Amino acid sequence: MADTDEAVAQHLRCYVYPAWEKRALGAIKPGDVQSWVASLTTTHGLAASTSRTVFNTVNAVFRAAVRDRMIPHNPCAEAKLPSVPRKKIVPLAVEQVRMLSEEIPARYKSLVLLGAATGLRPGELFGLQLRHVDLLHATVSVEQQIQQTAKHGVYVGPPKTARSHRTVPLPRMAVDAMKAHLRDFPADGPESWIFTAPQGRPVVYTHFMDGRWRPACAKAGIPKGTGPHALRHHYASLLIKHGESVKTVSERLGHTNAAMTLNIYTHLWPDSEERTRAAVDKAYADRPADGETAVDEAA
């Protein structure tokens, strides 16, 4: 939550206060809001997605003002927002993940394989302690994550959302990878970090990206700009390919709801035109024609 609070404060400081700091809430009209929304992209050069995020912050303020009867109407209610082009996620192939796990330093090989096998967020992987992994029952529990912000530095925080608290099954390849990792990099006790920096401290995202992840991606031939979150997309693509439902994929990933899962991965579900036709044809084929029914009943 700290990083979210920091982002909200930045949005207000950079894009809201300069525009409306000296104006009363009730003096801001819908036309003012629309002009301001347009300025986020034209004047400030923000991406459409960022503009929407900034707008949501302001909209929340006005909604609260209406709720508390400070103003009669929300001037943001009918604002038109810039459209965000949807980028289709292209998941890493199995061979790419294998190559990456071989190119990255040995202490992070199992981190790559575990991410690909469970869909945990990078911070959730970094936050794993020995007590969270049950190799006997082949599960991993997500109870915390390592977070990093400019204001608070590196610290242990709760998972991203309430739904992010979850237990994920470990496939055999992940169990084998974890056994190999704990053999080569033993954890002293239940509170010990599974994945650590060379100095023994928790993994820091920025250091990991600069010193370990990006060089390994370059060696493995993985496109520039690919981050650890790609392992999460890879995992989701495998579940979808093998017929898991939206509900299951959403639960495994710790998404807030299934709609979020569909919004991100809908293009990965296989085309079902033929299955749709077959389902309807089968339903109507199971019932004999009216003439046949009459003959059977007469008999």
Side-chain angles (χ1 to χ4, degrees):
M1 290 294 293
D3 51 348
T4 301
D5 293 341
E6 185 176 325
V8 169
Q10 182 183 15
H11 293 162
L12 293 172
R13 184 173 61 252
C14 296
Y15 310 115
V16 182
Y17 295 152
W20 293 331
E21 188 173 21
K22 297 180 181 180
R23 296 183 63 178
L25 286 178
I28 299 173
K29 305 302 180 184
D32 300 325
V33 172
Q34 192 63 65
S35 296
W36 171 75
V37 169
S39 74
L40 293 176
T41 54
T42 58
T43 303
H44 296 285
L46 298 183
S49 58
T50 307
S51 295
R52 283 172 168 263
T53 301
V54 175
F55 170 83
N56 289 338
T57 298
V58 172
N59 189 30
V61 172
F62 279 111
R63 285 206 317 267
V66 172
R67 184 187 64 233
D68 294 339
R69 298 183 180 178
M70 296 175 64
I71 55 177
H73 305 291
N74 179 358
C76 294
E78 298 181 7
K80 296 181 179 179
L81 304 181
S83 59
V84 180
R86 179 174 294 180
K87 295 182 179 178
K88 288 188 176 181
I89 291 170
V90 180
L92 293 176
V94 171
E95 196 53 44
Q96 287 178 300
V97 173
R98 285 176 174 160
M99 184 72 71
L100 178 61
S101 71
E102 294 298 327
E103 295 295 347
I104 207 162
R107 68 170 51 248
Y108 302 118
K109 175 177 181 177
S110 295
L111 184 149
V112 170
L113 295 176
L114 186 64
T118 62
L120 267 61
R121 299 177 177 92
E124 295 169 347
L125 290 168
F126 300 156
L128 287 177
Q129 294 174 303
L130 189 59
R131 61 191 175 92
H132 298 135
V133 179
D134 185 346
L135 295 182
L136 179 62
H137 297 95
T139 60
V140 60
S141 299
V142 178
E143 299 177 8
Q144 60 188 31
Q145 63 174 327
I146 297 293
Q147 294 180 287
Q148 181 182 15
T149 65
K151 182 177 181 180
H152 300 279
V154 179
Y155 64 98
V156 180
K160 186 175 182 179
T161 65
R163 289 286 299 274
S164 296
H165 290 266
R166 63 197 188 281
T167 298
V168 181
L170 291 177
R172 170 53 56 186
M173 79 87 154
V175 172
D176 292 342
M178 291 308 301
K179 287 180 177 178
H181 178 80
L182 293 173
R183 181 191 66 231
D184 297 336
F185 303 95
D188 297 331
E191 302 297 320
S192 297
W193 303 106
I194 290 181
F195 302 111
T196 63
Q199 300 82 5
R201 294 190 292 272
V203 178
V204 177
Y205 185 86
T206 52
H207 297 168
F208 175 73
M209 287 294 293
D210 294 337
R212 305 291 182 262
W213 179 269
R214 291 192 180 102
C217 284
K219 293 178 182 177
I222 292 175
K224 187 177 181 180
T226 302
H229 214 82
L231 299 175
R232 183 169 165 83
H233 297 322
H234 170 81
Y235 172 73
S237 72
L238 293 183
L239 297 190
I240 293 169
K241 182 178 179 180
H242 287 83
E244 291 291 358
S245 67
V246 177
K247 179 176 181 294
T248 298
V249 176
S250 180
E251 289 176 350
R252 295 288 184 266
L253 294 175
H255 279 165
T256 302
N257 51 52
M260 177 184 292
T261 308
L262 274 176
N263 187 49
I264 299 172
Y265 300 114
T266 186
H267 65 287
L268 295 181
W269 259 274
D271 191 308
S272 59
E273 288 185 5
E274 289 304 321
R275 283 184 295 172
T276 301
R277 295 187 186 102
V280 176
D281 287 340
K282 183 176 185 301
Y284 279 85
D286 287 342
R287 178 177 175 179
D290 292 341
E292 295 176 357
T293 301
V295 172
D296 292 342
E297 289 176 352

